């Protein structure tokens, strides 16, 4: 590993935020540095959606909204870009016409990026991409604990007879043995289901559920304490579907549900997870065509920033 200090984002006092290359948080590209401790990578893929398309444009929207991010995180008391070499690794070019091939490509490229010890914060794209990302992560760390922020369970079996969609990744992950079934949690779920059986099957797979109503009634601290106890010291993967937020905070998504969490609640829960063994994360389902004034993109960029900051606090492996 190089002894050189990390290369940080462009200085906004010298280069205006609205100018220059649109990398995440105006960070260097991966080809501009000798090493990468944390990489933000996009997966512009939405062929697995069941309702409104458009999440393929999510990575570009998050990068654009991230121009305003600053290098010091006061809530976590960390300057992530000074602690670790954080880079923008560009986009993984997944085949939009073949879901199976796209999944293989995402896993292959994720494994290549992680080979040297780089940890990923992936920006989607639809939630289908969580499966290959979990495969790549488990290949390196073994079965991982999963903290899944979402309005939906995403543990259904098939859609139109197809096993690989944005509503099925975590059932496939449990079936493949890449998740630690003693430490699986949904947070923020709400809204109608196909039937009570959905909950029964989800429970059988090993998931615990903290609904958006639970977060409201219990509060942040109690929610965080329960999640930390369930996760323990296991390697942890965090997957954030931006539709976990109420449509007032995230209108730009493909399957919005009323009654969701606020962006403040989501960020505070994430900040309560410091010192856990976070090994990877994703932020998915931002569909900018349905966004207003970049509300959803701003929320997603801040979620990604908090995930990068949590990784920056982790000890290097």
């Amino acid at each position: 590993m190089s002894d050189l200090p990390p290369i940080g984002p462009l200085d906004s006092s010298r280069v205006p935020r609205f100018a220059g290359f649109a990398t995440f948080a105006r960070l260097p590209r991966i080809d501009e540095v000798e090493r990468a401790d944390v990489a933000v990578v996009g997966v512009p893929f939405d062929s697995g959606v069941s309702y409104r398309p458009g999440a393929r444009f999510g990575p570009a929207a998050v990068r654009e909204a991230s121009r305003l991010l600053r290098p010091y995180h006061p809530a976590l008391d960390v300057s992530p870009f000074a602690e670790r070499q954080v880079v923008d690794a560009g986009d993984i070019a997944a085949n939009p016409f073949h879901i199976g091939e796209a999944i293989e490509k995402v896993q292959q490229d994720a494994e290549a990026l992680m080979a040297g010890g780089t940890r990923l914060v992936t920006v989607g794209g639809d939630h289908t991409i969580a499966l290959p990302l979990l495969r790549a992560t488990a290949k390196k760390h073994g079965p991982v604990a999963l903290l899944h922020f979402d309005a939906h369970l995403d543990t259904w079996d098939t859609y139109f007879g197809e096993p690989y969609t944005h509503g099925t990744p975590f059932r496939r992950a449990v079936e493949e043995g890449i998740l630690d079934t003693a430490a699986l949690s949904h947070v923020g779920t709400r809204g109608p289901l196909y039937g009570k059986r959905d909950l029964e099957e989800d429970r059988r797979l090993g998931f615990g559920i903290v609904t958006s109503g639970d977060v409201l009634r219990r509060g942040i601290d109690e929610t965080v304490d329960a999640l930390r106890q369930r996760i323990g010291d296991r390697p942890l993967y965090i997957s954030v579907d931006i539709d976990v937020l109420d449509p007032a905070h995230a209108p730009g998504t493909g399957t919005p549900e009323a009654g969701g969490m606020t962006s403040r609640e989501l960020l505070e829960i994430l900040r309560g997870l410091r010192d856990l063994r976070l090994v990877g994360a994703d932020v998915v389902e931002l569909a900018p065509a349905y966004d207003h004034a970049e509300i959803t993109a701003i929320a997603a960029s801040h979620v990604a920033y908090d995930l990068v900051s949590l990784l920056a606090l982790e000890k290097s492996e």
Side-chain angles (χ1 to χ4, degrees):
M1 180 180 290
S2 172
D3 293 328
L4 295 174
I7 299 173
L10 289 176
D11 184 346
S12 61
S13 68
R14 296 179 179 274
V15 182
R17 298 183 186 279
F18 43 80
F21 292 102
T23 57
F24 181 81
R26 312 181 81 207
L27 287 162
R29 302 189 310 270
I30 194 169
D31 59 350
E32 296 177 313
V33 299
E34 294 184 5
R35 73 180 197 280
D37 301 313
V38 180
V40 179
V41 60
V43 183
F45 173 84
D46 64 2
S47 299
V49 300
S50 57
Y51 193 46
R52 303 193 304 196
R56 67 183 60 183
F57 301 110
V62 168
R63 288 187 177 100
E64 187 63 28
S66 74
R67 288 177 178 270
L68 195 56
L69 293 172
R70 299 177 180 87
Y72 174 64
H73 194 312
L76 290 173
D77 188 24
V78 64
S79 296
F81 311 138
E83 293 293 329
R84 297 285 183 266
Q85 181 60 72
V86 188
V87 302
D88 190 318
D91 288 339
I92 294 174
N95 187 338
F97 301 112
H98 195 296
I99 293 178
E101 185 177 311
I103 288 173
E104 291 177 4
K105 175 66 171 173
V106 173
Q107 180 180 351
Q108 173 187 325
D109 285 14
E111 288 178 2
L113 286 167
M114 295 167 62
T118 301
R119 288 173 289 185
L120 304 184
V121 174
T122 307
V123 179
D126 75 54
H127 226 152
T128 309
I129 69 171
L131 178 61
L133 294 170
L134 284 167
R135 286 175 176 172
T137 304
K139 192 170 183 179
K140 187 174 183 65
H141 299 279
V144 295
L146 174 68
L147 185 49
H148 170 222
F149 293 88
D150 202 322
H152 310 97
L153 301 173
D154 288 2
T155 52
W156 287 285
D157 191 12
T158 62
Y159 277 93
F160 299 93
E162 293 298 322
Y164 299 107
T165 76
H166 75 158
T168 63
F170 302 120
R171 179 183 287 253
R172 299 288 90 81
V174 170
E175 292 170 347
E176 293 178 16
I178 57 179
L179 295 181
D180 185 334
T181 54
L184 307 179
S185 300
H186 303 298
V187 180
T189 54
R190 60 192 188 275
L193 298 170
Y194 297 107
K196 191 172 183 178
R197 182 180 175 184
D198 293 346
L199 294 173
E200 294 168 351
E201 291 190 359
D202 187 80
R203 192 178 304 113
R204 180 178 57 80
L205 292 170
F207 281 89
I209 295 178
V210 181
T211 68
S212 60
D214 292 334
V215 173
L216 174 65
R217 285 184 291 271
R218 298 176 186 173
I220 301 299
D221 292 344
E222 185 177 331
T223 299
V224 168
D225 286 345
L227 294 174
R228 293 182 67 97
Q229 289 179 29
R230 191 171 180 87
I231 295 163
D233 64 353
R234 300 171 175 87
L236 170 65
Y237 188 94
I238 296 177
S239 185
V240 181
D241 185 326
I242 204 63
D243 74 19
V244 72
L245 300 180
D246 189 86
H249 296 265
T253 190
T255 48
E257 304 280 359
M261 292 165 52
T262 68
S263 54
R264 179 175 58 242
E265 288 172 332
L266 174 57
L267 292 172
E268 286 300 317
I269 291 173
L270 288 175
R271 293 164 188 172
L273 302 175
R274 67 176 300 160
D275 302 324
L276 295 181
R277 291 179 58 197
L278 183 62
V279 294
D282 63 56
V283 186
V284 299
E285 297 285 354
L286 164 61
Y290 313 108
D291 208 2
H292 308 289
E294 295 183 290
I295 293 172
T296 317
I298 290 167
S301 70
H302 279 263
V303 169
Y305 176 64
D306 271 46
L307 293 168
V308 168
S309 297
L310 289 171
L311 285 169
L313 288 164
E314 286 287 299
K315 295 179 180 179
S316 297
E317 295 185 344

